[in-house]
Structures are given as structure tokens and as C-alpha cells.
Amino acid sequence: MVDVAAVDETFKRLQSHKGVLGIIVINADGIAVRTTFDNDLTVQYAALVSHFTVKARSAVKKLDGENDLRFLRIRSKKHEIMIAPEFEKSHEYYLVVVQDPSQGTL
Amino acid sequence: MKEELVEVPKDFGDADPSDSRVDVPSSWKASLKTAGTKSVSTETKPLVYEMAATQTGGSNTTGTQTDDGSKASKAPPKVNASGMMEFVKKVESMMAGELHKAAEEHEVLEPFTRAAEDEQEPAVCIHYLSPFQQDMTQQDLNATSTQINKHRLVVTCISWSCTGQTVAASFGRYDVVGWCTYPGALTTWNLGREEVNTSRADHRIDTDTCLMSCAFHPAHPALIAGGTFNGEVYVWDLSQEGDPQRGRSDVLLDARHTEPVIAVTWQYNLSDAAKYGTKDKSYRLVTLGADGRVLTWMWHKLEAPVYGYQLLYPQPGIDRKFVWGGACMAFQREPRGVSQQSESKGNAAVHGGEMAGTFLVGTEGGKIFKCYNDVNDASQKDFAKQLEKAERVEMRTPVREANYTPHAGAVFGVDCSPFQRELFLSCSTDGSVRLYSSLRMQPLLHLEPTASYLFAVQFSPFRPMVFAAAGGDGFVYMYDLMRSQDVIRPVLTLDTNGMRKPVYAMAFNPRKHDVFATGDATGIQVWKLPSSLTSVRRGEEALLRKTAVADDVAEMLRKSHGK
């Protein structure tokens, strides 16, 4: 079983960064395993981000079969969406952090 | 017929025809013989009862159920979550690093994102207020001259109450030559009400001559001062029932304005604050007349001014001093931090901003004077004594500095930065807006938004780098130096009336960040400003401080923009 406390601690550490709005861990099926967002937002992020990540990865892989995707950052007008994927069969997950870098700096 | 009569006796054949009588014994009350009696009876068949019962077969209950999808989908992660720990541990450092990077990059890239935001949202006109328009809500049959703007009055000045709820406008005319025979008016609208009647002011005070300026008290929401074309100064209390007038200056006194009162401001006075102890009496009125006089009044003793100055300054080439006609006035304000804004403004420490005695006067001749109000108790007493003796009052000049590069036309607008003490703006009929530092003679910035006259200029009370200039072409030009490109252009232009009628007055709301009012020849427009002009940007105050000391402001702004 997952060591819940340890994961929680990691979440807390990430959350303490400037302007972090929320964190989600998504599994290979595009289902949020852990989240700090509310349900609706989580489901949306999970579905959209996992699709996007798979697409991005396939682009990288098609360009060079030996290459692989390591990290994704989507900068939008309001947010910064960061995705750290892991594609190993045994534990395929995506860690998603949504940040508003302008927050807390004003 | 005859035959029948004959036949009748035949039926009574046994009758004795001799006397033609027939006796028929009466049967009345005689017993009738009946046929022999017989007892008869009938009988029904006896009733037979039978018991019978029927029954249907017993019922069956069955149920079907689908799987709860959401529950089902939640189950697998529990199973699949194995290895999550390793995963989270593995990516955490990478994520943390990226978060740091993002924050750093944001700082660096901020100016570029700002540039990308270049498309400016427009401001929205939320109210159009005019006492001279047809009242749509009430059909007023005895509409008189007050309903119709027959004197073609224009808005000469706009002021917001200290609560930011009420907007006041003075009505008068700028094109009067000689005697003013037009009545003026002061109108106020409370915009905090649920329904605002845009054609009927909440208060309307008519004055004998054009009203040229007005100013709400900075602490008392109902006190308002106004100055008329013939130099009278009034104070009204709008909260009073009946006649709102609280004070009026003496029109025959020697120490008075002999020309239109161009500007009215309230100044915090420490000695008055100590003497009266009430917030509303801690303020004095300072008025500027087109006659070049700067008079100080106590609003509750408005008969005579407390002190007076005259804008005496030699014209270049002539050593005799003569009086310059004032056209606008603004007091320097103690800088306040952006962070302080939200705090209550009730205390004297914040009001200290209005205590500073330095003020700037724009003149009809295009010169800008920096003046100092050094009035103290002794000079006040002297002044009062002179007044008492009805002597001709000698007024000193308050001018301390007059060598600022002059405008080519009358300076109708001047405003001091609420964030940086020495910075001030001026605008003129030459169509230029200038940013000056009061410590330097050359303007820091020279902007020309339009070829037509400019009547007013004002700093935003919330954004240190934002200011607006009102033009004679009906536009208000909003500048945001934070977002200036290579060429400093207005970021937003408000078309106030669509008819190119001049905008004479404007005012940022002191409380509501996004509310702004303009006044033109037709009435008052109340605008809702876009958030890009109202929310403070990072480093804005620092940039303003840099602006004040920079050698080449345009260059400095360009650099800060592209950094």
C-alpha cells in the first residue's frame, strides 16, 4: 500500500512554493489518484492533461525513437501548468502542478 | 229520434206502465254478497346459500442494479497506486526545480508579458448624468428653464465625496466676457443608490452666477465648497434640510476674489485640528482666483479669508512685479505607499499628505509657479488686523519657483503625484502634457496626445504610473507609463460625448478604483475603468521613484520595459 503520509508530505512541500494553486497525481488511465483541487477541476485536469501528455510524448518519440519526454510546462496567460510524467510500465503516473507565478509576488 | 224515445220503455218491460214509475232499490249501504271465501297462499323457494372462494398465485419481487460508475472507477487506483510513492519521490525534485525556475523566469519575463497584453480593454460608460436632459421617468409638465439648458452651461468642475459615493458637478461657462449674467448650479448624484435618476440630481443648488469650481470636504461626506464666476466662495452642507448653504464669502470685502474662482481645495491644518478637534473643522479652504489671488478660508467663518496671497512675479525683461492670473492649482501630497491605501484614511497621519504647504499654480500666461503657503498665527493676526481697519491689504507673493519651462498656452491643469512628492503634471492649451519634477526646470516628459486644448490632467490615485488628460476634442487620454512602448502613447482613449465637445473636468474616484468621472458640455459621464488601469503592478512605485530622478525618462522607461 502507498505510504500516504510520505506522499502528503511531498504535496505539502510542493504546495509551499510560490503561487502553487494545486497538485494532482494522475495514473496511466487518466484518473486522478491524489489531488488538492475540487472534484470537477480535478476530473478536467486529469482528462485533458493525460491526453496532452500522451500526445506530446508520441511527438517526441516519433522524432527520435530513443528519446523520451521528461517534463512539460504550459505557460498560459493566467497559469503555468507543469507536468512531470513517468512512463515506466510498473508505475506510470503524471504529476501535475498548477502555478500562478504572479501570485504572491505583488 | 222519436223511435228511440219509444224504445226506452221496452227495457223496463216489467214496469207498470200505468203510473210510469220504476223503482230501483238502492244498493247504498247494503252488503254485497261475495263469492265464497277461500284462503290462498303463495310460497317462494327457500334461499340457498353457498360459500365460494377464489385465489390468484403469489407475487415475486425481483431487482436489478447497475454498477456505480464513479465508485467503480475509484477502486482501481487503490490497486494501481502501487509505485506512486517512488514516482512522487522521483519527480519531486524536478518539479521543485521547475517551480523555482518558473518564478524566476516570471520576474524576468514580466515586462514582455505586459507587452503582450497590449490590447487594451475599453472603459465602459456606466452612467450619463445631466440635469438638463428630458426626464424620462417623470413627465414633468411644468418643465421650466431649469430642465432645459438654455444658458448652455457646461461642467466646470467635478468632485467625488470622501466616501466615493457621490459625484458633484459645478455648472458654469468658460466663454463669459465681462459680467456674468448666467446662473450656475451645483448638482450631486449619489451613485450608491439602487436606482440612479440620471436626469434628476439628488441635490441641485442654483447660484446667481456661473459656478466655476467645487470640492467635497476630504473627511465630511456632505460638505462641499464652490467658487463662482464673480469670486464668491460658498460652503454647502448637503445633509441639511432646507437651505443647504452654510457659508458665503463677503462680496464687498477688499480681500476677496474679484474674478472667477478657478480652483477650490481643502487643506489639512494642524493648528485648526488642535483648536477645534473635529475632523471637519481641521480643514481650511484654499481658493485660487483668475485675479491671481490665493486666499485661505475657514469654512465655518467664511465671511473673511484667513490669509491671502497674490501671484506676483516679474515678467521677463520688466523688473516691476505684476500679478499673474491663475488657471489651476494643485497641492503637493505627502507620498503614500500603495500598501497604505487600503488602510483607513481617517487618521491625521494619512491626512498629513494634505498638510504640505507647497502647491503649484498654472497660469494663464503658460508659466507654472511653485508656491509655498507659509501662513502662521502671527501673519494671520496681521492680516485680520488689516482687514479690520479696512485698509488696503497688502498681499505677499507665495511664488518660490517660476522658472519651469513654460507652456505655450494657458496651463489649465496641474496635478501632483500622490505617490512621489516632487512629481507633477501640467497640461495646457498648447495640447501638451508634461511631467515635471519640482526640483528641475526641464520637464521629464513632454507628451502631445492631441492638437486641441487640454483642460485637465490628473494622476490616478491608485496606480502611480497612470494619469489622464482631458482634451478639448472630447477625448480623455489615459496614459500608463508602465506599459509605454518606444513611443509613449495613450493606452486608452475615452470618447466622452461622440460629438467632439470639449471635456472640461474629470475626477478619479478616491475610493473605488475603477470609477472615473468626466464632465463636458453636455453632462457627466461615469466610467468603469478596465482592471489593467486600476490594479497596481509590481515595481510600479520603484519605477516612479526612478522616473523622478532619471536624466532621460523616456529612455529609462524604454529600458525598464525591455529589461
Side-chain angles (χ1 to χ4, degrees), chain A residues 2 6-7 10 13 17 29 33-34 70-71 73 75 82 84 86 91 93-95 97 99 101-102 105-106, chain B residues 77 80-85 87-88 90-92 94-96 98-103 105-106 109 538:
Chain A
V2 186
V7 175
T10 313
R13 271 201 297 278
H17 279 86
D29 308 323
V33 187
R34 297 291 302 271
R70 287 288 304 280
F71 198 86
R73 247 172 83 174
R75 170 174 298 148
M82 311 209 181
E86 177 62 65
H91 43 92
Y93 291 106
Y94 314 122
L95 174 68
V97 176
Q99 187 195 23
S102 64
T105 59
L106 282 178
Chain B
N80 288 3
S82 68
M84 185 169 103
M85 193 56 232
F87 159 73
V88 169
K90 195 171 157 192
V91 296
E92 190 205 341
M94 180 158 57
M95 185 59 84
E98 291 290 338
L99 283 171
H100 266 301
K101 253 194 250 171
E105 279 169 25
H106 180 76
L109 294 174
R538 215 159 53 82

Side-chain angles (χ1 to χ4, degrees), chain B residues 190-506:
Chain B
N190 184 347
L191 301 181
R193 295 199 176 154
E194 217 150 272
E195 254 180 51
V196 179
N197 187 345
T198 55
S199 55
R200 181 163 297 225
D202 292 337
H203 286 277
R204 180 185 168 133
I205 300 161
D206 289 301
T207 54
D208 301 338
T209 53
C210 286
L211 195 63
M212 302 311 283
S213 51
C214 65
F216 265 111
H217 191 283
H220 189 302
L223 273 183
I224 184 164
T228 66
F229 193 88
N230 63 1
E232 287 167 289
V233 179
Y234 287 89
V235 171
W236 294 285
D237 185 350
L238 302 175
S239 62
Q240 251 177 3
E241 292 284 324
D243 185 12
Q245 187 174 316
R246 288 289 297 269
R248 178 188 180 178
S249 63
D250 189 343
V251 285
L252 297 172
L253 205 69
D254 187 38
R256 63 176 165 100
H257 289 296
T258 50
E259 276 181 60
V261 179
I262 295 299
V264 178
T265 47
W266 295 85
Q267 282 303 116
Y268 190 79
N269 187 292
L270 258 187
S271 65
D272 275 12
K275 198 163 148 197
Y276 296 105
T278 58
K279 216 184 276 170
D280 41 335
K281 286 190 182 169
S282 308
Y283 286 86
R284 288 179 172 186
L285 266 176
V286 180
T287 56
L288 170 76
D291 53 1
R293 283 182 174 178
V294 179
L295 300 180
T296 308
W297 315 74
M298 281 201 229
W299 67 266
H300 42 100
K301 292 178 189 162
L302 210 54
E303 298 77 36
V306 179
Y307 200 73
Y309 291 106
Q310 223 163 6
L311 295 170
L312 286 161
Y313 198 77
Q315 176 86 312
I318 309 164
D319 40 286
R320 191 172 56 85
K321 280 186 178 181
F322 71 99
V323 179
W324 289 69
C328 57
M329 170 173 73
F331 273 82
Q332 275 192 357
R333 288 178 271 192
E334 212 65 51
R336 58 191 163 101
V338 177
S339 50
Q340 279 177 341
Q341 276 174 34
S342 51
E343 285 169 30
S344 144
K345 291 177 185 166
N347 53 24
V350 181
H351 279 307
E354 288 129 13
M355 272 158 52
T358 308
F359 60 99
L360 289 138
V361 172
T363 64
E364 287 162 355
K367 262 191 180 306
I368 298 166
F369 293 142
K370 183 169 88 171
C371 308
Y372 191 67
N373 184 2
D374 57 357
V375 64
N376 54 33
D377 286 349
S379 56
Q380 265 179 48
K381 259 179 214 155
D382 272 0
F383 191 82
K385 227 179 270 170
Q386 279 178 308
L387 277 184
E388 227 168 88
K389 284 189 232 156
E391 284 174 3
R392 187 168 163 71
V393 186
E394 272 312 310
M395 294 193 197
R396 292 189 300 133
T397 177
V399 177
R400 292 295 146 98
E401 182 60 74
N403 292 322
Y404 300 112
T405 315
H407 277 280
V411 180
F412 275 138
V414 61
D415 190 38
C416 295
S417 169
F419 295 93
Q420 189 69 24
R421 185 209 281 261
E422 69 264 31
L423 287 179
F424 70 91
L425 287 164
S426 67
C427 73
S428 154
T429 51
D430 62 8
S432 70
V433 177
R434 289 181 187 171
L435 178 68
Y436 283 94
S437 161
S438 61
L439 307 173
R440 280 196 266 170
M441 300 306 116
Q442 298 296 322
L444 300 172
L445 274 179
H446 178 96
L447 307 166
E448 284 181 357
T450 171
S452 69
Y453 291 1
L454 286 174
F455 288 108
V457 67
Q458 197 187 1
F459 273 109
S460 159
F462 304 105
R463 292 260 337 251
M465 299 291 272
V466 168
F467 59 87
D473 51 2
F475 289 101
V476 171
Y477 301 92
M478 291 272 185
Y479 282 93
D480 182 354
L481 297 183
M482 264 319 246
R483 274 189 289 165
S484 53
Q485 309 270 302
D486 283 349
V487 183
I488 300 169
R489 286 179 293 134
V491 290
L492 181 65
T493 314
L494 307 181
D495 186 358
T496 57
N497 46 42
M499 292 179 283
R500 302 284 178 274
K501 285 190 180 165
V503 186
Y504 294 111
M506 63 181 178

